[in-house]
Amino acid sequence: MIDKKIGIFGGGQLAKMIAIEGSYMGLHFNIFDPNPFACGKSFGQNFFNKEFLDQQAIDDFFNCSHIVTYEFENVMSDFFLPYTEKIPQGIKALQLLQDRYTEKNFINSLKGVKTVNFQLANEDIKIPKPYIIKSRRNGYDGKGQQLINKDEEVDSRFLNENYIIEEFLQGTSFREYSIIMGRSTNGEFANYQPFANEHKNGILHISTIEKIQDNIKQLMIDKTKEIITSLNYYGVLCVEFFVIDNKVYVNEVAPRVHNSGHLTIEGANISQFKLHILCILGLPLPTIVTYSNYYMVNLLGQHIKPLKKIINNKEYKDVNFHMYGKNSTINNRKVGHLTFQDTNNLLNKIKGVIK
Ligand code: ADP
Ligand code: MG
């Protein structure tokens, strides 16, 4: 249908799922990742197994791709400067969002919902405990974070300018949501209903579409639109929110498709991966319909064994299995996910196995 070559920086599961969707549309993919075992590598026609700092390889990659997208935010933006016209997501998102400190200042400079209180870790600590120390760069899945309840828990190695400290929210009403929104280069916007996300040890565990108060939903959608527009960003983007006692905060922004949107593969009329492709190609966006009672449960390295119990079991026949094909299974590292509609008590049964 569309004879275009799309380059993807990063060759993990997100690249794989983008390439699978794109292949149905007749698209071809170049995939760039320094990891020779990147699980998305065989889903592109060309695999650039090069370092992200290899300017020559980056030049070659852009030269043989009509359009380039990125599936994670920690790629060098300076090297992309000569090619910004080929990157619908742009580089402003990379420049601002690679560092939690500049990210949070950017979020708070815009209209609408703000972040929780935060500060640099090398300054006088003004935030009351409990607080959370986070590395400014390269953190994901809760890595590089330390929750502090008492002074003696503070590791002084973290009290420098490479870390921030932020207020830690807790309480029975605490909830996490994400808004996944697409913006096509033709000017259209489309978003999914808010996803309600449950994390365990800082890692996403379960996502579902949950009905929430209209005013809270509207605040989240408005803020996401504000962010996507101010970043001059085209493509799919995700904003994570915290809600507590009816107050809404932005947690962080992911300039890419997002784990909390994986349930859209079967749980919506269009997956976030296809939506992303339509956006970066400037195609019209469909009206999004999400199906009720759909869930996504993440699979981590430690779940491989228990998973064997359900894969051959008839009780789980309506579950969709998505395995990423990673070459190693490490505890607390994502290896796949399940999606399913919660009928016949399926959610509870799965919760009993995938803990
Ligand atoms: P990452 O980039 O690793 O996803 P996040 O800042 O999103 O880092 O933190 C991961 C998870 O840790 C969040 O989704 C949330 O469950 C928890 N968390 C992080 N910061 C806070 C906070 N200030 N208050 C409450 N929970 C938090
Ligand atoms: Mg997060």
Side-chain angles (χ1 to χ4, degrees), residues 225-266:
K225 199 162 183 184
E226 184 75 21
I227 290 172
I228 212 167
T229 311
S230 340
L231 290 173
N232 304 322
Y233 184 100
Y234 298 91
V236 161
L237 172 144
C238 174
V239 182
E240 296 178 13
F241 294 89
F242 296 141
V243 177
I244 188 164
D245 299 334
N246 289 323
K247 284 206 290 286
V248 188
Y249 302 92
V250 175
N251 174 27
E252 59 175 353
V253 181
R256 53 174 166 79
V257 287
H258 190 259
N259 195 169
S260 62
H262 290 356
L263 66 83
T264 62
I265 300 176
E266 288 91 5

Side-chain angles (χ1 to χ4, degrees), residues 328-345:
S328 59
T329 51
I330 302 170
N331 275 5
N332 288 333
R333 289 294 292 272
K334 296 167 186 168
V335 296
H337 66 268
L338 309 175
T339 70
F340 55 92
Q341 205 157 25
D342 182 27
T343 48
N344 301 322
N345 203 24

Side-chain angles (χ1 to χ4, degrees), residues 100 134 139-142 145 176 199 202 204 240 242 251-254 256 258:
R100 289 189 202 277
K134 297 184 178 180
Y140 65 98
D141 287 347
Q145 304 193 3
E176 295 189 59
H199 288 76
L204 183 62
E240 296 178 13
F242 296 141
N251 174 27
E252 59 175 353
V253 181
R256 53 174 166 79
H258 190 259

Side-chain angles (χ1 to χ4, degrees), residues 33-234:
D33 199 306
N35 175 4
F37 304 108
C39 66
K41 73 171 192 180
S42 50
F43 292 82
Q45 274 70 21
N46 297 302
F47 178 48
F48 283 65
N49 185 213
K50 301 285 186 185
E51 294 301 321
F52 288 128
L53 296 176
D54 183 340
Q55 176 81 67
Q56 183 59 52
I58 287 175
D59 290 341
D60 294 345
F61 189 69
F62 274 100
N63 286 329
C64 68
S65 308
H66 292 105
I67 292 180
V68 168
T69 180
Y70 42 85
E71 58 115 69
F72 81 129
E73 45 277 48
N74 293 317
V75 277
M76 267 300 275
S77 54
D78 292 355
F79 288 178
F80 295 176
L81 282 172
Y83 305 107
T84 47
E85 292 201 344
K86 283 195 173 178
I87 317 171
Q89 284 153 291
I91 57 168
K92 197 173 169 191
L94 297 175
Q95 289 163 338
L96 288 169
L97 306 176
Q98 283 174 351
D99 174 342
R100 289 189 202 277
Y101 189 65
T102 55
E103 176 181 17
K104 284 170 195 286
N105 282 315
F106 163 69
I107 291 164
N108 290 342
S109 74
L110 304 177
K111 280 194 297 211
V113 177
K114 308 291 183 215
T115 67
V116 295
N117 290 325
F118 67 98
Q119 62 164 95
L120 286 170
N122 59 335
E123 291 169 353
D124 229 16
I125 302 178
K126 298 205 177 73
I127 295 179
K129 287 180 280 300
Y131 58 69
I132 182 162
I133 308 182
K134 297 184 178 180
S135 70
R136 285 172 63 176
R137 290 179 177 273
N138 297 320
Y140 65 98
D141 287 347
K143 289 176 181 59
Q145 304 193 3
Q146 202 195 6
L147 174 63
I148 304 296
N149 286 295
K150 298 189 220 108
D151 282 334
E152 51 272 32
E153 290 166 352
V154 178
D155 184 334
S156 57
R157 284 174 305 174
F158 293 145
L159 298 184
N160 63 61
E161 71 282 0
N162 297 320
Y163 291 83
I164 57 160
I165 291 179
E166 73 179 45
E167 186 187 343
F168 187 74
L169 301 176
Q170 56 186 359
T172 48
S173 77
F174 178 74
R175 296 279 181 278
E176 295 189 59
Y177 298 98
S178 54
I179 297 287
I180 294 187
M181 184 177 280
R183 182 191 190 197
S184 171
T185 55
N186 77 1
E188 292 174 26
F189 290 83
N191 62 273
Y192 295 93
Q193 294 298 312
F195 296 113
N197 304 317
E198 186 185 324
H199 288 76
K200 252 189 193 171
N201 306 318
I203 308 172
L204 183 62
H205 177 40
I206 298 179
S207 293
T208 189
I209 294 164
E210 200 175 271
K211 181 111 188 71
I212 57 170
Q213 257 172 256
D214 281 345
N215 61 330
I216 291 183
K217 178 171 141 184
Q218 201 54 50
L219 283 173
M220 297 196 295
I221 291 173
D222 290 348
K223 185 67 181 197
T224 306
K225 199 162 183 184
E226 184 75 21
I227 290 172
I228 212 167
T229 311
S230 340
L231 290 173
N232 304 322
Y233 184 100
Y234 298 91

Side-chain angles (χ1 to χ4, degrees), residues 7-25:
I8 310 179
F9 274 104
Q13 63 266 25
L14 302 178
K16 173 176 166 176
M17 291 185 274
I18 293 170
I20 289 173
E21 278 285 11
S23 67
Y24 294 131
M25 302 166 74

